[in-house]
Amino acid sequence: MCSDMEEHAFNVVCEQEFGMEACTYGDMAIQRWYSKVLSAAIQRWCTKVISANCSTGFPRTLGQAEALDKICELDLVISLNIPFETLKDRLSARWIHPASGRVYNMEFNPPRVHQGIDDITSEPLIQREDDKPEAVAVRLRKYKDAAKPVMELYK
């Protein structure tokens, strides 16, 4: 693994370069840098540590998949076919404690003491805007469209 100093230096360079690219490319910079930063991190990880790798939820776009293929040889790709409504229901049940980042799922990991209240601080939980049912449905549709070419690549 990288030392704390090495990791900090890597993060500072990425933040500076991302800022300059964001001015040029706008919203596209986020997607470009997501791939760049993850590729760099995965490459360091692959070369220093990993003999067997399991990554969940990545790659999400064809560009990310193509970048990953350039730096790592995949032995296995698993795709889970989960019904849309099941995903929507599970993701929409997520609530968080904003100060700590603790995550609760009202179906699978609800607060133990009171509904909607953090177990440790007794402060109210919130549901992020992107975890509300309507937003989750939009996110899942976008993901399905973006994932289709990735699925085709790995068939």
Side-chain angles (χ1 to χ4, degrees):
M1 291 306 249
C2 299
S3 70
D4 288 341
M5 182 62 85
E6 190 176 83
E7 194 65 35
H8 175 71
F10 178 75
N11 289 339
V12 168
V13 168
C14 286
E15 288 170 9
Q16 290 170 349
E17 289 183 30
F18 174 74
M20 289 185 289
E21 192 163 329
C23 291
T24 305
Y25 294 103
D27 290 342
M28 288 300 294
I30 294 170
Q31 194 62 255
R32 291 166 53 102
W33 270 89
Y34 184 73
S35 290
K36 281 184 181 181
V37 170
L38 279 177
S39 292
I42 290 170
Q43 190 168 21
R44 289 185 312 175
W45 187 48
C46 287
T47 57
K48 289 185 177 185
V49 181
I50 300 301
S51 60
N53 173 16
C54 181
S55 176
T56 59
F58 182 81
R60 292 183 182 186
T61 67
L62 185 57
Q64 291 171 354
E66 290 168 343
L68 180 64
D69 285 349
K70 290 178 184 174
I71 61 171
C72 287
E73 185 176 323
L74 301 178
D75 296 321
L76 177 67
V77 175
I78 298 172
S79 173
L80 302 176
N81 188 11
I82 302 169
F84 179 86
E85 285 301 316
T86 302
L87 288 172
K88 188 178 85 148
D89 292 346
R90 289 183 182 181
L91 291 170
S92 298
R94 183 169 52 184
W95 288 68
I96 64 166
H97 177 250
S100 69
R102 272 185 293 284
V103 177
Y104 294 88
N105 184 295
M106 296 307 173
E107 294 177 25
F108 301 104
N109 181 34
R112 291 184 176 101
V113 181
H114 296 293
Q115 184 78 1
I117 302 295
D118 182 59
D119 288 335
I120 296 172
T121 65
S122 297
E123 295 171 341
L125 302 175
I126 65 161
Q127 187 174 39
R128 297 180 339 187
E129 287 300 316
D130 62 340
D131 285 340
K132 293 185 177 175
E134 306 78 32
V136 168
V138 169
R139 273 182 26 219
L140 289 172
R141 284 189 202 95
K142 285 181 182 178
Y143 172 78
K144 183 180 178 183
D145 292 342
K148 196 177 293 184
V150 175
M151 305 292 267
E152 289 299 317
L153 178 69
Y154 291 121
K155 273 191 175 178

